Amino acid sequence: MEEKEISKAVIARLPRYYRYLQDLLEEGIERISSNELSKQMQVTASQIRQDLNNFGGFGQQGYGYNVQYLYEEIGKILGLDKEHNIIIVGAGNLGQALANYVEFEKKGLIIKGIFDVNPRLIGNTVRGIEIHMIDEMEDFIRKNRIEIAALTVPKSKAEDMAKLLVQYGVKGIWNFANIDLHTIEGVVVENVHLSESLMRLSYRTSKYIKETESRK
Amino acid sequence: MEEKEISKAVIARLPRYYRYLQDLLEEGIERISSNELSKQMQVTASQIRQDLNNFGGFGQQGYGYNVQYLYEEIGKILGLDKEHNIIIVGAGNLGQALANYVEFEKKGLIIKGIFDVNPRLIGNTVRGIEIHMIDEMEDFIRKNRIEIAALTVPKSKAEDMAKLLVQYGVKGIWNFANIDLHTIEGVVVENVHLSESLMRLSYRTSKYIKETESRK
């Protein structure tokens, strides 16, 4: 593969390609044309050809893409060919839901432990992953080379917890708390703001209902 | 307020403004300047002034925005001044985590019921919200005027379940299954693809680690 710079916009679309390619692999499909992939992903075929051209000449006219090869190449760019160790901070329903996602492990994203402040949870496990107390977190992060922490603590605790995580060596925070973590330095933050997502849906749904009613 | 068309890009930013304004209200702050809001949100002040100009002349030079008024006006645009009824389909950890989010109700997004296929869950409740069986769903949706369903079922069941929901009258699907629902018509879909979000974070974190190491 050529070592050229891939644009941010393309990178942002790669996880979605990766997901579709994984589905195709699981269905036993070895080759796919840009037109077929276009239909499935509802992206134009020319967009797909442009995006995938970044990975060298393996989409042959009339022959299609090699699914396995493309899957692996995109995986390498996303860093999924190496293992990345993760902890979950907060063992509530959301933390447990994340711990139960086996999909992550297939992508080399390994959940090593779960942390909480509730002493009644000591030693409990979720899908074999042990729940530890917060005071063990520093040691655990260093010993297990944890890169990423999923933060599922209440909003009021999120900022302090994020600071601790960075101090202990975490480099990426997957933030589910309903707050931005602007003030935290020395770490990459990816926000999942569920309430904003639901508000967007509520807006779009209300609009859709109004439009369909006015057409009656 | 003037009845003018607000651009899609502005609409997409409104939930975030709404969240910050709610935080300010909870802190008892009545007025805020675009400069102060800019610092907190890490958006340029001129962007804020441009966005909020859409809501008429209530940001006065040197005087700032009226937080309560702005909060309410944005709420109206997002449709949050009316109640919207929601069900959660899938009573696993993720479904339960969503049911436990009290934040939604403050915004008029009311979770009326949870549905699952597991008969052992019949009659159980999460934060007072009852778990029902799927065969009661049609009646429940019609009687309770459910607009939105949060879909937290496994990927393999998501498409069929979405079709049922639309048939029963649901107009918006908050999709947590690891699949797009392109084939479903007559409904608005908002996807929360957690594994894509984690892949993006993994990529950005790996890049950040490489960059900081190369600087040493």
Side-chain angles (χ1 to χ4, degrees), chain B residues 110-140:
Chain B
I110 318 287
I111 301 166
K112 289 284 186 176
I114 306 169
F115 287 82
D116 205 285
V117 290
N118 184 348
R120 281 191 300 178
L121 297 174
I122 291 187
N124 283 11
T125 61
V126 179
R127 201 171 56 83
I129 306 165
E130 201 176 327
I131 302 177
H132 306 266
M133 293 299 101
I134 297 283
D135 58 9
E136 300 168 41
M137 206 165 66
E138 180 166 11
D139 265 8
F140 192 95

Side-chain angles (χ1 to χ4, degrees), chain B residues 16-54:
Chain B
R16 190 151 179 266
Y17 282 114
Y18 194 77
R19 177 160 63 83
Y20 272 87
L21 291 165
Q22 189 185 4
D23 287 350
L24 293 169
L25 276 181
E26 282 171 8
E27 291 164 27
I29 292 167
E30 292 177 8
R31 293 203 156 262
I32 190 158
S33 67
S34 50
N35 284 327
E36 183 52 39
L37 195 55
S38 155
K39 243 187 282 173
Q40 289 194 20
M41 293 184 67
Q42 301 212 336
V43 176
T44 65
S46 82
Q47 165 93 79
I48 288 177
R49 284 191 293 265
Q50 246 178 53
D51 283 352
L52 300 185
N53 266 349
N54 284 289

Side-chain angles (χ1 to χ4, degrees), chain A residues 19-20 23 155 180 196, chain B residues 19-20 23 155 180 196:
Chain A
R19 177 159 62 83
Y20 273 85
D23 287 350
K155 181 175 163 178
D180 295 321
E196 288 182 28
Chain B
R19 177 160 63 83
Y20 272 87
D23 287 350
K155 182 174 163 180
D180 296 321
E196 288 182 27

Side-chain angles (χ1 to χ4, degrees), chain A residues 16 19-20 23 40 77 84 93 100 155 174 178 180 182 186 189-190 193 196-197 203-204 206 208, chain B residues 16 19-20 23 40 77 84 93 100 155 174 178 180 182 186 189-190 196-197 203-204 206 208:
Chain A
R16 192 153 177 267
R19 177 159 62 83
Y20 273 85
D23 287 350
Q40 290 193 21
I77 294 165
H84 301 277
N93 288 123
N100 274 312
K155 181 175 163 178
W174 202 19
N178 198 18
D180 295 321
H182 294 321
V189 177
E190 169 93 14
H193 286 318
E196 288 182 28
S197 169
Y203 170 77
R204 291 170 56 210
S206 304
Y208 178 73
Chain B
R16 190 151 179 266
R19 177 160 63 83
Y20 272 87
D23 287 350
Q40 289 194 20
I77 293 164
H84 301 276
N93 288 124
N100 275 313
K155 182 174 163 180
W174 201 18
N178 199 17
D180 296 321
H182 295 321
V189 177
E190 169 92 13
E196 288 182 27
S197 168
Y203 170 78
R204 291 171 55 212
S206 303
Y208 178 73

Side-chain angles (χ1 to χ4, degrees), chain A residues 15-24 26-27 71 101-107, chain B residues 94 151-159 174-182 190-199:
Chain A
R16 192 153 177 267
Y17 283 113
Y18 195 77
R19 177 159 62 83
Y20 273 85
L21 291 164
Q22 191 184 2
D23 287 350
L24 292 170
E26 283 171 8
E27 291 163 27
Y71 177 77
Y101 252 75
V102 288
E103 279 303 313
F104 300 155
E105 264 146 54
K106 291 191 200 159
K107 302 182 176 77
Chain B
L94 183 57
L151 195 57
T152 72
V153 301
K155 182 174 163 180
S156 58
K157 315 273 184 209
E159 203 156 352
W174 201 18
N175 175 35
F176 288 83
N178 199 17
I179 185 179
D180 296 321
L181 297 171
H182 295 321
E190 169 92 13
N191 292 313
V192 182
H193 285 318
L194 292 177
S195 82
E196 288 182 27
S197 168
L198 182 55
M199 280 190 264

